[in-house]
């Protein structure tokens, strides 16, 4: 029994609640969520307003948010299953840049926005350096891109009000290296483990205590949806072409390769190669139905020849002419 909350738990301890042990730690995962307007970034709202976690798609693990977005703020919200990662990424010391596109009612100049680079104090609250760029004017509104690193409560809205502007739309478009991009509103996209590890770096991953080695836990009832891979043939295994003729998958490197060319001969020039003139030592490779050169193997005595031209099916393209290299000049035949 635990009698005091001041108790350190190690990996060697087993914690049970109502007699049931807690599940093992999962692999650190990160999700990008396009938050729409009208949702609270909390698990439960005392006023009964809809929350982000009530509107997430099904099939996701238990997640927590990295930072918050206001009720009427939309855009990129990072979610994770790792509390240590969430605390590290939302801390100002991490220094990750948050970018917002702001539509506000009123007028402002780029010169006024440049003064925010040295920081500003509003109603006794000091805000750090802000990189603001005037994007365009739209009727009585202006579009401004805000880049901040602290992310204090209602920082963008308070600073814009200090400039005499009233924010009527606020969209977060990036958080550190992760971009909103073309992610549709209300959709969730998981960041691949390899990408997450590379973007965090060793320093942040160590501070957060992220673990990328543990396997992803799945519900056994879901089964294995991964299709079974077909076994690849070994190097010396025989395969059959379209006509059921067996041939080797590959040839030893010591055998001499005879070039095989595919040309478009005239219709009157098609004829079968005489079988008596072809021996195993004369031809070491031929072209199969799928267009690959494979070995025919070694054998004693003459081998049966193969016809080209009229016997080929129409979907195999133009007939192939085999250029035969005779080892004995006496076997050479004139056309």
């Amino acid at each position: 029994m635990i009698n005091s909350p001041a108790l350190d738990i190690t990996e060697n301890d087993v914690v049970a609640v109502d007699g049931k042990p807690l599940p093992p730690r999962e692999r650190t995962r990160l999700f990008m969520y396009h938050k729409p307007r009208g949702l609270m970034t909390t698990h439960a709202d005392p006023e009964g307003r809809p929350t982000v976690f009530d509107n997430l798609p099904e099939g996701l693990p238990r997640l927590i948010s990295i930072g918050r977005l206001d009720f009427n703020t939309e855009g990129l919200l990072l979610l994770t299953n790792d509390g240590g990662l969430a605390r590290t990424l939302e801390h100002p010391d991490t220094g990750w840049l948050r970018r917002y596109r702001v539509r506000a009612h009123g007028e402002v100049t780029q010169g006024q926005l440049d003064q925010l680079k040295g920081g500003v104090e509003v109603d006794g609250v000091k805000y750090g350096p802000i990189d603001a760029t005037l994007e365009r004017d739209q009727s009585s509104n202006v579009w401004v891109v805000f880049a901040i690193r602290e992310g204090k409560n209602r920082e963008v809205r308070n600073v814009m009000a200090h400039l005499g502007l009233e924010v009527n739309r606020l969209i977060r478009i990036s958080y550190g290296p992760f971009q909103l991009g073309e992610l549709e509103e209300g959709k969730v996209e998981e960041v691949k483990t390899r990408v997450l590890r590379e973007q965090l770096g060793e320093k942040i991953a160590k501070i957060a205590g992220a673990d990328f080695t543990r396997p992803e836990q799945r519900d056994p009832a879901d089964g294995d949806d991964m299709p079974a891979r077909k076994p690849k043939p070994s190097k010396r295994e025989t395969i059959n072409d379209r006509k059921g003729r067996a041939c080797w998958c590959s040839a030893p490197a010591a055998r001499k390769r005879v070039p095989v060319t595919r040309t478009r001969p005239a219709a009157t020039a098609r004829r079968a190669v005489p079988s008596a003139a072809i021996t195993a030592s004369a031809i070491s490779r031929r072209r199969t139905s799928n267009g690959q050169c494979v070995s025919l193997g070694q054998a004693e005595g003459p081998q049966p020849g193969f016809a080209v031209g009229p016997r080929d099916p129409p979907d195999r393209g133009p007939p192939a002419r085999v250029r035969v290299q005779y080892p004995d000049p006496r076997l050479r035949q004139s056309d």
Side-chain angles (χ1 to χ4, degrees):
M1 297 292 293
I2 299 178
N3 299 321
S4 171
L7 180 64
D8 294 332
I9 302 296
T10 66
E11 295 183 354
N12 297 326
D13 296 323
V14 178
V15 181
V17 179
D18 296 334
K20 297 180 179 180
L22 295 179
R25 180 181 178 182
E26 297 181 357
R27 170 175 56 87
T28 300
R29 304 170 67 184
L30 183 70
F31 298 83
M32 297 188 299
Y33 173 58
H34 188 164
K35 175 189 174 299
R37 301 177 66 179
L39 295 179
M40 296 294 297
T41 310
T42 181
H43 286 274
D45 183 60
E47 302 180 9
R49 290 172 293 183
T51 68
V52 166
F53 300 97
D54 292 336
N55 289 269
L56 290 178
E58 297 181 357
L60 296 176
R62 178 175 173 79
L63 301 173
I64 56 178
S65 63
I66 300 177
R68 296 175 180 270
L69 290 179
D70 295 338
F71 184 74
N72 289 322
T73 302
E74 55 190 296
L76 180 63
L77 180 64
L78 297 182
L79 306 173
T80 181
N81 64 337
D82 192 324
L85 180 63
R87 290 188 296 271
T88 302
L89 295 187
E90 66 188 11
H91 200 279
D93 291 342
T94 304
W96 274 17
L97 198 67
R98 292 96 155 160
R99 291 185 180 275
Y100 298 82
R101 292 190 69 237
V102 189
R103 187 182 66 186
H105 179 74
E107 296 181 358
V108 69
T109 63
Q110 184 61 49
Q112 292 177 286
L113 297 177
D114 291 339
Q115 297 178 2
L116 302 176
K117 294 183 178 180
V120 64
E121 181 176 349
V122 180
D123 297 334
V125 180
K126 294 182 179 181
Y127 298 102
I130 300 174
D131 187 5
T133 304
L134 181 61
E135 194 175 56
R136 70 176 189 271
D137 295 330
Q138 184 181 24
S139 180
S140 59
N141 296 320
V142 292
W143 280 95
V144 180
V145 177
F146 254 57
I148 59 178
R149 297 186 183 273
E150 292 182 333
K152 294 182 178 178
N153 184 31
R154 300 180 65 84
E155 178 175 352
V156 177
R157 297 180 185 273
N158 292 338
V159 172
M160 296 292 279
H162 176 72
L163 298 176
L165 303 173
E166 181 182 359
V167 176
N168 49 43
R169 190 175 183 185
L170 182 57
I171 310 169
R172 182 155 69 186
I173 57 177
S174 68
Y175 194 108
F178 303 105
Q179 309 288 329
L180 181 62
E182 301 297 330
L183 184 61
E184 298 181 7
E185 186 176 278
K187 299 296 183 179
V188 177
E189 179 180 325
E190 182 175 6
V191 180
K192 295 182 179 180
T193 301
R194 177 183 57 82
V195 177
L196 176 58
R197 183 168 54 244
E198 292 176 353
Q199 296 298 334
L200 292 180
E202 295 182 1
K203 182 179 179 180
I204 297 180
K206 184 178 181 180
I207 295 175
D211 189 352
F212 303 110
T213 60
R214 297 178 182 269
E216 179 183 348
Q217 296 184 6
R218 296 184 179 181
D219 190 353
D222 294 341
D224 188 4
D225 297 335
M226 295 297 293
R229 295 184 177 180
K230 296 182 179 179
K232 296 183 178 180
S234 61
K235 292 185 177 180
R236 296 299 300 166
E237 184 178 352
T238 59
I239 60 175
N240 295 331
D241 59 11
R242 292 183 180 178
K243 296 186 177 181
R245 295 171 294 195
C247 52
W248 292 110
C249 293
S250 62
R255 293 182 179 178
K256 184 179 179 180
R257 298 183 179 181
V258 178
V260 179
T261 59
R262 178 178 292 274
T263 59
R264 184 183 294 274
T268 57
R270 299 178 180 177
R271 64 185 183 88
V273 180
S275 59
I278 303 178
T279 63
S281 61
I283 298 180
S284 62
R285 299 179 67 84
R286 60 163 291 187
R287 185 175 297 275
T288 60
S289 58
N290 58 3
Q292 299 179 352
C293 290
V294 298
S295 173
L296 293 174
Q298 294 288 348
E300 296 292 337
Q303 301 295 316
F306 51 93
V308 294
R311 294 181 181 270
D312 291 341
D315 59 342
R316 292 176 56 184
R321 170 172 291 181
V322 178
R323 185 177 301 165
V324 181
Q325 185 175 3
Y326 295 90
D328 192 343
R330 292 176 297 177
L331 297 178
R332 197 178 300 272
Q333 294 183 2
S334 60
D335 294 336

